[in-house]
Amino acid sequence: LPQVKIPVCQIAIETPLRRLFDYHLAEGAVPGSRVRVPFGRQHVVGIVVAQAADSEVPAAKLRGIEAVLDAAPLFSTADLALLTWAADYYHHPVGEVFATALPRLLRLGRDVAPVQRSWHITNAGRAALADGTLRRARRQQQLLEYFAAKGAVDEQALDAALPGWRPVARTLREKSLLEMNEQTRSIATREAVQSLQQGPVLTAAQQSAVDALTAPGLAGAHLLDGVTGSGKTEVYLRAAGAALARGRSVLVMCPEIGLTPQLLERFEARFDAPIAALHSGLTDTARARAWHLAATGGARIVVGTRSAVFTPIPNLGLIIVDEEHDSSYKQQEGGFRYSARDLALLRGQQRGVPVVLGSATPSLESLHNVKLGRLTHIELPERAGSATPPRIALIDMRAHPVNRGIATPLRHAIDAHLAAGSQVLLFLNRRGYAPTLLCQSCGWVAPCESCDARLTVHLAGGRACGSLACHHCGAEAPQPERCPRCGYGLQPLGHGTERVEETLAEFFPGHAVERFDRDSLRAPKQLTDAIERVHSGSARILVGTQMLTKGHHFPDVTLVGVLNADQSLFSTDFRAAERLAQTIVQVAGRAGRADRPGEVLIQSQYPDHPLLKTLLERGYAGFAADALQERQAAHWPPFSRLALLRASDPEPEVALNFLKAARKIATPAAGVALRGPVPAAMVRRAGRYYAQLMVESSQRTRLQAFLAGWVPAVESLATSRSLRWVLDVDPLEVL
DNA sequence: GGTAGATAGGAT
DNA sequence: TCCTATCTACCG
């Protein structure tokens, strides 16, 4: 009997299963479009990835597509190829990878083609106006009169003409006096893009950077390596302008848009072009709209965070990855742990589109790629506008009196800068009041019930008697008055940003302190208000965490103090030194932006530490050169490739045993080494016990080949439902 | 991950 | 005897 071939669609479905699912071919079910399909006993939305002339699946199991949801595909074949590549490379279920690329509403099957809503008066409405039934409802009467005069009016016009019309219109609609019409708006693609501003005169370095990035017929990847204030953004704008002028669109990626709205503002101010912003602060509807605008070519500039790397952009002509060293480009939670920076490079290569990675403190990976010729190195050595670079010095905390975390030389420097009318910025990577609550009598410290960690003391609503919080699982508890073990009084030990804020207010009375951390700036409004207080000059001293190292320009800050650089000097994570160097250089970059020279003081117990010495004597480039040599000697990335299999379970030993079994079933492969499994640095976190197994190879292809065979086998090992496991390819933290 | 049928144990 | 909690297999 000749086999009958049955043509099928191969569909990505959001499920942890690592495969596509075949369904009978249906009209309009072209690759890239969404379809509704029966799946098990449910009905789900999937994405057609490909069509095939035949299926491996027994014909009896094949089912039909229920509905095609998109008239035109959402993803191009190149978009599909990128997503498929990512699923392969990160060895993650393809359906979940596709889910990452799609806003929630589209995943749910909603139609988000932008609609134009317009309102008009009904006959009943005219009658109501005539017979005066609305005499007592003045606003309703006025709105109806407006519609009686104007006819159909669309919502944008109403927003502009009559702010606050919506609730009134809703009431009138319920009474059938007004009606609303929806119609699909056609998007004007290829809108003319105008440059609103000319932009400043470029420095020679900027000009040659722009030349390199806008050379005709150019593709390829570039590292734009420029100190803070050297004008990287201006280079981005010029390169983007050139791409837009060629009729192409631009993808701009940034680590956290909420913290760095400047980038978006600069693009908005420069170009009269439709911009779509994609970040975590959007509502589902707003995100779906922005995504759709980008995917249909309605936006010529797309500014977004990590997941924006997957957003379809027709006619893409340039990809910019700002602050490429930033760890938020790597998804570090959940299952699909991709690097948006690496995928951006791949996307550019795949489409022949130039990619610019920008940073004042490039990742060692990127600097290594420069050496290998995979990235061209474009340097912007000087600060634009000829500002003097900051003077950096160490304060030996052993050699000076230290009062409440602040050494005398730093205190004097703060006094001097404040007296000169400048602002001062202090960086401390530790939020809360104190990292520990200690009993001075018996040595008891407040522990987290569900983690191997100490609870951090926080001020409750600002006053002395605080609360306790776990920074690992989020647990909160009131602060006990007495030691639960011996009944003695308890003391907060150590310094967090809240305590430093308190200390500064005491040491420098009359100088308002502004605190920048996740606790003080929970809402975006709080951040903008705080920044406003700094810019207006009402705040004189800034104290904060990482938040202060990202993006914001504080032109009147002339002194930056790093209160404790030591935390990561002796970390076991091989990337700790790189992160510390980047943080110090980034926070130092906040000082002396204007014509006033800046000063940076770093407090340390170990001023002779080679990392700090190198950084001060030879700058970030010198540090990076040394660090790369160390990595090479120790055979760490980028000189080797890593993958980490992490597992956790509420019962001790379960995760470790699972990983031991995973190691046992591995087929030995040449050039691939397994290390571990070992318990995680913090074994118990949020009530689960963690362990990990490392896979290492000097060659990416070997590692990939090994994982391709191993991961499916590992999957079949995981029988218990309570056990969770993830594979992290190119992990950032290996603790 | 979601679902439902199978199974086992406890409460009534 | 029935109810529920847990296990197991499957998804085209």
Side-chain angles (χ1 to χ4, degrees), chain A residues 478-539:
Chain A
Q479 182 178 334
E481 302 232 340
R482 323 227 129 253
C483 174
R485 198 158 74 189
C486 73
Y488 198 80
L490 295 164
Q491 284 282 316
L493 182 71
H495 305 270
T497 46
E498 289 178 0
R499 194 172 205 176
V500 171
E501 181 185 21
E502 184 184 271
T503 302
L504 292 167
E506 224 172 282
F507 284 3
F508 310 101
H511 297 280
V513 182
E514 192 73 44
R515 177 159 60 90
F516 288 79
D517 58 31
R518 189 149 33 103
D519 305 304
S520 65
L521 310 170
R522 309 190 92 241
K525 174 92 167 71
Q526 289 173 300
L527 178 65
T528 47
D529 286 356
I531 290 171
E532 176 50 34
R533 284 191 289 274
V534 176
H535 283 156
S536 75
S538 67

Side-chain angles (χ1 to χ4, degrees), chain A residues 293-514:
Chain A
L293 193 69
T296 52
R300 296 292 305 283
I301 301 169
V302 180
V303 181
T305 45
R306 195 169 48 226
S307 67
V309 76
F310 296 118
T311 309
I313 301 170
N315 218 7
L316 183 63
L318 174 69
I319 302 174
I320 295 164
V321 182
D322 191 30
E323 306 295 354
E324 65 88 21
H325 65 279
D326 198 293
S327 60
S328 22
Y329 282 122
K330 178 81 201 272
Q331 172 71 269
Q332 308 213 57
E333 270 120 49
F336 178 33
R337 306 195 170 199
Y338 62 100
S339 159
R341 181 242 283 148
D342 295 351
L343 288 172
L345 287 169
L346 184 85
R347 186 171 179 178
Q349 192 183 39
Q350 178 196 48
R351 324 239 173 143
V353 160
V355 182
V356 188
L357 307 183
S359 179
T361 53
S363 62
L364 297 187
E365 274 79 3
S366 292
L367 290 170
H368 185 58
N369 280 335
V370 165
K371 278 196 188 155
L372 296 178
R374 293 185 191 140
L375 294 173
T376 68
H377 201 187
I378 305 174
E379 287 174 279
L380 292 179
E382 74 234 52
R383 288 186 163 207
S386 68
T388 337
R391 199 173 61 80
I392 306 183
L394 285 168
I395 297 176
D396 184 347
M397 293 181 90
R398 298 160 311 179
H400 299 280
V402 177
N403 191 356
R404 296 207 258 164
I406 296 173
T408 315
L410 178 60
R411 189 168 171 177
H412 290 157
I414 296 173
D415 263 327
H417 282 260
L418 290 175
S422 297
Q423 288 170 320
V424 169
L425 184 157
L426 298 173
F427 170 76
L428 175 62
N429 207 6
R430 184 177 269 165
R431 63 193 176 86
Y433 187 80
T436 312
L437 184 64
L438 172 77
C439 170
Q440 289 181 310
S441 169
C442 74
W444 178 86
V445 293
C448 174
E449 297 298 322
S450 16
C451 306
D452 292 330
R454 293 163 175 190
L455 292 173
T456 300
V457 183
H458 280 256
L459 295 180
R463 282 290 68 82
C465 183
S467 63
L468 297 173
C470 176
H471 286 185
H472 303 279
C473 72
E476 288 178 35
Q479 182 178 334
E481 302 232 340
R482 323 227 129 253
C483 174
R485 198 158 74 189
C486 73
Y488 198 80
L490 295 164
Q491 284 282 316
L493 182 71
H495 305 270
T497 46
E498 289 178 0
R499 194 172 205 176
V500 171
E501 181 185 21
E502 184 184 271
T503 302
L504 292 167
E506 224 172 282
F507 284 3
F508 310 101
H511 297 280
V513 182
E514 192 73 44

Side-chain angles (χ1 to χ4, degrees), chain A residues 75 135 142 162 199 292 319 329 402 470 508 592 601-602 666 730:
Chain A
F75 294 100
R135 250 169 314 156
Q142 282 173 349
L162 306 165
H292 198 268
I319 302 174
Y329 282 122
V402 177
C470 176
F508 310 101
L601 295 173
I602 301 168
D730 305 329

Side-chain angles (χ1 to χ4, degrees), chain A residues 233 236-237 252-254 260-268 303 320 322:
Chain A
T233 309
Y236 299 155
L237 288 166
V252 186
M253 313 246 314
C254 51
T260 54
Q262 292 96 331
L263 197 62
L264 181 59
E265 283 162 16
R266 292 278 297 271
F267 274 85
E268 278 171 343
V303 181
I320 295 164
D322 191 30

